Amino acid sequence: GVRDVLFLYEENRCSMTYMYEYPEYLKIKLPKKTARRYPAYELYLYGEGNYAEENKNLLLSGIPVLFLPGNAGSYKQVRSLGSIALRKAEDVDFKYHFNFFSVNFNEELVALYGGSLQRQTKFVHECIKVILKLYRDREFAPSSVAIVGHSMGGLVARALLTLKNFKPELINLLITQATPHVAPVMPLDKYLTDFYTAVNNHWILKAQDLRNLTTLSVAGGFRDYQVRSGLAFLPRLSQHDSALSVVSSAVPRAWASTDHLSIVWCKELILATIRAFFDLIDENTRQITEDPKKRMSVLNHHFVRHPAKMFEENPEAFTELTGAFMWITVKASKWTYSVYNDSDGKYFAFPLASHRKAYSHVYCENSMLDTSSWIYGCINTNSSMCLEAADLSWRAELLPTTKVVMLKLQDYPSLSHIVIQVPPAVGNKYTLGCEFFEEDSRTVQLPVTHLFSFGLSSSKILLNSTGLLYNVQLQHFNQIYQAFKIYVESHCQSLKERKPSVYRLHIPWSHEDSIIVAKVPSLAEISAKLHIAQPHNDTSFPELNIYSSPDCQYEVILKTSLLQVLGQIVRFHAGAFPVYIVSNILLTYGGQLSTLRSTGQCSDFSLELVRTAKPYKVEPLISIVVFLQGFNWFREIWESLSLPEVDAAVLSSQDAWFPLVSLILFLFGTGIAYWSGVFFSTSLRLFSSLWLTLIRPTVLQKDKLITPRRLCGMISLALVSWTTCGAFAVLIIYLQYLFKPVHVFVTSVFHFQDLGHSEETSQNSSTHTVKAQSSVDSIPDATQSPSNSTTIAEAVNSLKMHITILSLFTWIVLLSLPSLIYWLKNLRYNVRLDPDPCRSTAIILVCILEILMNSSTSEVKSSKLLKIAAKVPLPLSVAMLAFGRMHLYRVPHFVTFSLLLHVLCCIV
């Protein structure tokens, strides 16, 4: 599954964007107050060559666009947009041009640490004010700024509207690239999840205020494994018709999936964006239009359905078909025509009266990919020619090798003829085709195979093509955990050269189509899986549209792909893996405490994991709670107890949850926990053997739990946590703790070797030697040396317990690492991380681990609290899975609580 997500996707079909002149970034001077408040952030203006020289005095006259980089993103990523916009402006002799600004966020890791998101948002607000001031005395001064946000930059742009003193009219257009709008990819701290909640709630509650803001969200598709495309779809609102979400594989003239970084430089996508920008200009104000309807129609034109025509706001409804062209009437229901070096223009007229009774639709295609009109509907005709016609080219749709139009005859009762225009074509070679058909004859239903068929069974369908188009409806394909391989094999009767076939997987409820162009004859493989599940009120079917060759046969075979099903589980739920791993370790830890209580011996980590980490101990309870939350009375009781919502219920409402996923994730967690235990034990042996060769260890001895020296260590680390960064203190105590098991292991092994050596000597000197013993246990027989063997047995027990605690603690360190990295990167600006998501947890953990580090199982065995400490990990595991899947920062709290009980067992 992991391999499917990280490696098995389509090849990169994006072209790189290149600069024609050297890119320059002019730093904009900010007001002193702003610069002092945000020392790490800067604002730049992009330029190249002469344009950069002209703008050095900041006498700007263009249209301002602000680029916001994302997580660890650079302000220099604006260059693809800026450079292509500059070339396009040169094409129109700088009648219109754009000034691209970019913010330097110091490459902060905002996807992993949410503490600086609010600061970034406020800085962007200041930048917008500074940018608009630069244009203040110009003839066509802008009153708003367009924003392009990559990744988390798109979320920061949306967050601007949550600021108290922000005027919504300061932004009129927002384009986001691979931005996770729905939820954070890894919810590693409370600031991140709170920020998301605030932004999404504001956009839902204040939807009416956002009508003047047009938002476009572009997702990267399956190549982007960092931000899955489902997260990039803006929340759907019935009254919010000024937002559009598309996947790059469905964008006309791009038709390519992009990874998380290439979405910023993918030439095909950047061209679509810049073309849209230029079409959005209002000729009167020389700025981006204030009309929200025009903005949406431009975005739809470039990002959803391109008619292979230049954008026109109000295209002429009727036109006269003039020119000395030959008129040819075609009465057949099917027609193809090849054009090659035709010196005369022609009009082919198809009378509709004879076709209306027999057929429901007409379909035409044209492989000449220019932007001129080519298909018309006749309204007034005389005997031989058409006097007035409606331009039907606006109904066409552009595909990679052809432009197609499909019309329902019933919708055009006033038309007498369909007319195809073929202009003189010198040096051009292209084909046209039209056919009339009954819709039912071209629509075929194909039920998808069951999830548990594991690819062993398949659904097949044979299309004896006599036409140019087939729609294969994929029935019961509506959930994100379904994934299929579709094979389309084409066979043709003759071997003549044919145009390639186009296969489009069309998902009707979201703009996430994917297109494949295949030679004929050939075998094409299509991956069919969803980014978004079918909404409950939607009854449509996903379709495989086959734009075929007329005399070819097509066989469609569909199979469930087990690898891709696992890939979908990883894609949607990989962020929850740490919760499942820690849950398994916590159950093992509880099991070890209970065996210590019942037998006086601590069991081995891997054996205890196999014995205690069982999904039936935790999963049923969560499922029951999720089921009961469907009832109002239970929800009311739940809310009255101030309990947070169960994460599985939230995921179910987002259609991202299904019954077996939790079991699969739990088993995956068991596997990782097991192998991490093996890795720990092996590493321990390696380190210990290295230690033994270098240093002669001290003798095992009992020590007090709390000494003045340890107390000083505790206080100093707590101070480090309070004055600098909590994660830093956690890392120090972790490294300190790492040496403890090594020390215990080395001293016990060394002690045992000494003991073995002395026993051997005494056995040799005795006259009554027992020679039957073939081997020596790792712990000597208690009858031989009671005190020594007890000490070593105790050391081994303590060692096993330390390894488990260390496994738990490793995950706490891993989950707190992002804030540590963020702190280290920003150390030159501020010594204290503020806000710090780990501070309070770190102080508690430092005190707990300073005591646990020096504890042994002998103190715990005799404790009155051991019974409670052994039983608590199970409910904590359940709670962790219930409330931690979408809130990873809660995991350390559950672990800290169980370790706190362990400390109390050492004392009480």
Side-chain angles (χ1 to χ4, degrees), residues 399-600:
L399 293 171
T401 59
T402 183
K403 47 191 179 185
V404 302
V405 64
M406 187 161 77
L407 306 168
K408 192 176 182 180
L409 297 177
Q410 203 179 325
D411 296 343
Y412 300 91
S414 59
L415 298 186
S416 61
H417 291 70
I418 294 282
V419 177
I420 301 284
Q421 180 183 11
V422 181
V426 180
N428 282 335
K429 185 179 182 180
Y430 62 98
T431 56
L432 298 117
C434 277
E435 64 170 337
F436 292 85
F437 61 86
E438 191 61 43
E439 188 180 23
D440 295 346
S441 68
R442 296 299 163 84
T443 306
V444 190
Q445 267 106 23
L446 181 68
V448 298
T449 48
H450 197 271
L451 180 68
F452 296 112
S453 63
F454 301 120
L456 299 172
S457 63
S458 62
S459 283
K460 284 185 192 177
I461 211 155
L462 192 65
L463 308 169
N464 284 319
S465 177
T466 51
L468 302 170
L469 171 73
Y470 273 96
N471 295 323
V472 180
Q473 289 185 346
L474 307 174
Q475 292 179 310
H476 318 300
F477 177 30
N478 49 22
Q479 296 299 332
I480 55 107
Y481 54 81
Q482 292 174 295
F484 307 98
K485 275 187 179 170
I486 302 173
Y487 301 96
V488 183
E489 192 169 6
S490 52
H491 306 279
C492 301
Q493 290 163 5
S494 60
L495 291 169
K496 64 176 183 181
E497 190 187 335
R498 285 180 176 78
K499 66 180 182 65
S501 288
V502 176
Y503 308 132
R504 172 166 68 177
L505 183 67
H506 173 60
I507 311 298
W509 55 81
S510 64
H511 303 295
E512 54 173 283
D513 296 6
S514 54
I515 291 179
I516 282 182
V517 179
K519 288 178 182 174
V520 181
S522 69
L523 174 66
E525 185 186 302
I526 302 162
S527 284
K529 49 198 173 190
L530 299 173
H531 294 293
I532 283 190
Q534 186 174 24
H536 299 297
N537 56 355
D538 196 299
T539 54
S540 54
F541 295 109
E543 285 184 337
L544 177 66
N545 307 135
I546 298 176
Y547 299 92
S548 53
S549 289
D551 59 342
C552 295
Q553 200 178 57
Y554 291 81
E555 186 178 24
V556 181
I557 302 166
L558 181 142
K559 289 181 179 180
T560 296
S561 170
L562 181 64
L563 263 181
Q564 292 187 52
V565 169
L566 291 171
Q568 285 291 79
I569 292 171
V570 172
R571 182 173 284 108
F572 278 78
H573 301 289
F577 282 162
V579 185
Y580 284 91
I581 297 161
V582 177
S583 176
N584 272 282
I585 300 170
L586 203 56
L587 286 172
T588 310
Y589 170 68
Q592 282 182 320
L593 287 177
S594 59
T595 51
L596 184 66
R597 181 173 163 262
S598 56
T599 64

Side-chain angles (χ1 to χ4, degrees), residues 26-47:
L26 178 66
K27 190 174 173 181
I28 307 289
K29 195 178 179 188
L30 298 168
K32 283 181 183 175
K33 191 181 171 186
T34 308
R36 202 165 48 245
R37 194 182 293 169
Y38 309 102
Y41 303 158
E42 295 163 326
L43 177 65
Y44 288 88
L45 171 66
Y46 177 81

Side-chain angles (χ1 to χ4, degrees), residues 558-859:
L558 181 142
K559 289 181 179 180
T560 296
S561 170
L562 181 64
L563 263 181
Q564 292 187 52
V565 169
L566 291 171
Q568 285 291 79
I569 292 171
V570 172
R571 182 173 284 108
F572 278 78
H573 301 289
F577 282 162
V579 185
Y580 284 91
I581 297 161
V582 177
S583 176
N584 272 282
I585 300 170
L586 203 56
L587 286 172
T588 310
Y589 170 68
Q592 282 182 320
L593 287 177
S594 59
T595 51
L596 184 66
R597 181 173 163 262
S598 56
T599 64
Q601 299 292 324
C602 183
S603 53
D604 192 56
F605 177 82
S606 45
L607 294 172
E608 197 58 52
L609 178 77
V610 173
R611 194 179 71 82
T612 51
K614 297 281 188 277
Y616 59 77
K617 290 183 178 180
V618 289
E619 288 304 331
L621 194 61
I622 298 169
S623 302
I624 290 164
V625 171
V626 172
F627 172 72
L628 288 173
Q629 280 198 329
F631 300 101
N632 286 333
W633 61 269
F634 186 81
R635 250 201 325 271
E636 284 167 14
I637 295 167
W638 192 265
E639 283 164 14
S640 67
L641 294 168
S642 300
L643 287 167
E645 201 170 356
V646 176
D647 288 350
V650 179
L651 288 165
S652 295
S653 67
Q654 293 173 2
D655 295 313
W657 199 247
F658 48 99
L660 281 174
V661 70
S662 204
L663 178 67
I664 293 164
L665 293 173
F666 192 93
L667 297 175
F668 190 85
T670 310
I672 290 186
Y674 180 86
W675 287 107
S676 65
V678 170
F679 171 77
F680 256 117
S681 305
T682 314
S683 308
L684 190 68
R685 286 169 199 280
L686 284 170
F687 277 124
S688 306
S689 56
L690 188 69
W691 190 306
L692 263 172
T693 55
L694 298 173
I695 302 158
R696 183 182 172 86
T698 53
V699 181
L700 271 174
Q701 56 183 17
K702 282 293 291 167
D703 204 352
K704 280 185 183 177
L705 274 178
I706 302 168
T707 62
R709 189 181 167 191
R710 278 170 204 154
L711 203 60
C712 284
M714 237 185 260
I715 294 164
S716 56
L717 280 176
L719 276 170
V720 166
S721 177
W722 187 257
T723 54
T724 59
C725 168
F728 183 50
V730 167
L731 184 67
I732 293 169
I733 194 88
Y734 175 69
L735 294 172
Q736 219 176 317
Y737 202 145
L738 268 177
F739 285 103
K740 182 65 187 176
V742 176
H743 180 68
V744 172
F745 188 81
V746 167
T747 43
S748 56
V749 167
F750 179 76
H751 201 59
F752 166 58
Q753 284 174 352
D754 267 12
L755 191 69
H757 179 70
S758 60
E759 280 167 1
E760 207 176 287
T761 313
S762 64
Q763 279 183 347
N764 288 342
S765 61
S766 172
T767 51
H768 303 284
T769 311
V770 181
K771 291 180 181 176
Q773 192 177 0
S774 60
S775 67
V776 182
D777 265 339
S778 64
I779 298 167
D781 196 328
T783 55
Q784 293 176 350
S785 180
S787 62
N788 282 326
S789 70
T790 309
T791 313
I792 292 170
E794 207 55 64
V796 171
N797 281 338
S798 299
L799 181 69
K800 288 173 180 173
M801 191 54 78
H802 283 309
I803 285 173
T804 308
I805 293 170
L806 210 50
S807 297
L808 281 171
F809 194 31
T810 302
W811 282 98
I812 295 180
V813 172
L814 289 174
L815 291 172
S816 65
L817 267 183
S819 62
L820 175 68
I821 296 164
Y822 180 91
W823 173 72
L824 288 169
K825 272 192 82 175
N826 289 274
L827 203 51
R828 67 178 187 270
Y829 301 109
N830 214 333
V831 175
R832 190 174 195 254
L833 180 64
D834 191 45
D836 187 350
C838 304
R839 186 165 290 135
S840 50
T841 316
I843 292 168
I844 299 165
L845 275 171
V846 161
C847 301
I848 288 172
L849 291 160
E850 196 69 64
I851 297 169
L852 281 186
M853 205 185 296
N854 304 292
S855 68
S856 70
T857 47
S858 57
E859 295 128 356

Side-chain angles (χ1 to χ4, degrees), residues 308-324:
K309 301 258 300 163
M310 305 296 270
F311 177 79
E312 288 177 39
E313 192 176 353
N314 298 306
E316 286 183 21
F318 302 106
T319 183
E320 287 182 25
L321 298 180
T322 53

Side-chain angles (χ1 to χ4, degrees), residues 223-385:
R223 273 187 69 85
D224 187 351
Y225 53 79
Q226 290 181 45
V227 174
R228 64 176 176 85
S229 296
L231 290 177
F233 276 69
L234 288 155
R236 290 184 178 181
L237 306 166
S238 52
Q239 73 273 38
H240 194 191
D241 52 1
S242 58
L244 181 65
S245 301
V246 296
V247 177
S248 62
S249 60
V251 174
R253 298 168 87 169
W255 296 301
S257 176
T258 63
D259 61 56
H260 197 61
L261 286 178
S262 71
I263 200 166
V264 171
W265 54 254
C266 178
K267 186 179 174 182
E268 290 75 6
L269 211 52
I270 300 296
L271 280 169
T273 309
I274 298 300
R275 286 180 192 126
F277 269 131
F278 275 86
D279 283 341
L280 284 164
I281 297 170
D282 184 327
E283 287 191 9
N284 300 321
T285 63
R286 301 238 176 149
Q287 293 295 327
I288 285 175
T289 178
E290 294 295 320
D291 179 6
K293 281 187 180 173
K294 182 185 174 180
R295 290 200 295 255
M296 276 311 281
S297 60
V298 168
L299 293 180
N300 274 300
H301 178 96
H302 289 284
F303 288 91
V304 179
R305 187 188 173 98
H306 198 296
K309 301 258 300 163
M310 305 296 270
F311 177 79
E312 288 177 39
E313 192 176 353
N314 298 306
E316 286 183 21
F318 302 106
T319 183
E320 287 182 25
L321 298 180
T322 53
F325 283 18
M326 189 193 299
W327 282 83
I328 301 166
T329 304
V330 181
K331 290 184 179 176
S333 64
K334 194 175 294 159
W335 166 85
T336 54
Y337 183 73
S338 292
V339 182
Y340 184 55
N341 271 346
D342 280 21
S343 55
D344 303 323
K346 297 181 181 70
Y347 285 123
F348 290 93
F350 299 81
L352 297 181
S354 56
H355 294 309
R356 284 189 189 277
K357 287 177 186 173
Y359 305 111
S360 65
H361 287 71
V362 61
Y363 167 84
C364 294
E365 60 183 25
N366 180 354
S367 66
M368 178 69 170
L369 300 180
D370 62 352
T371 56
S372 55
S373 294
W374 61 284
I375 183 167
Y376 302 90
C378 244
I379 296 159
N380 294 325
T381 52
N382 63 15
S383 56
S384 62
M385 53 199 283

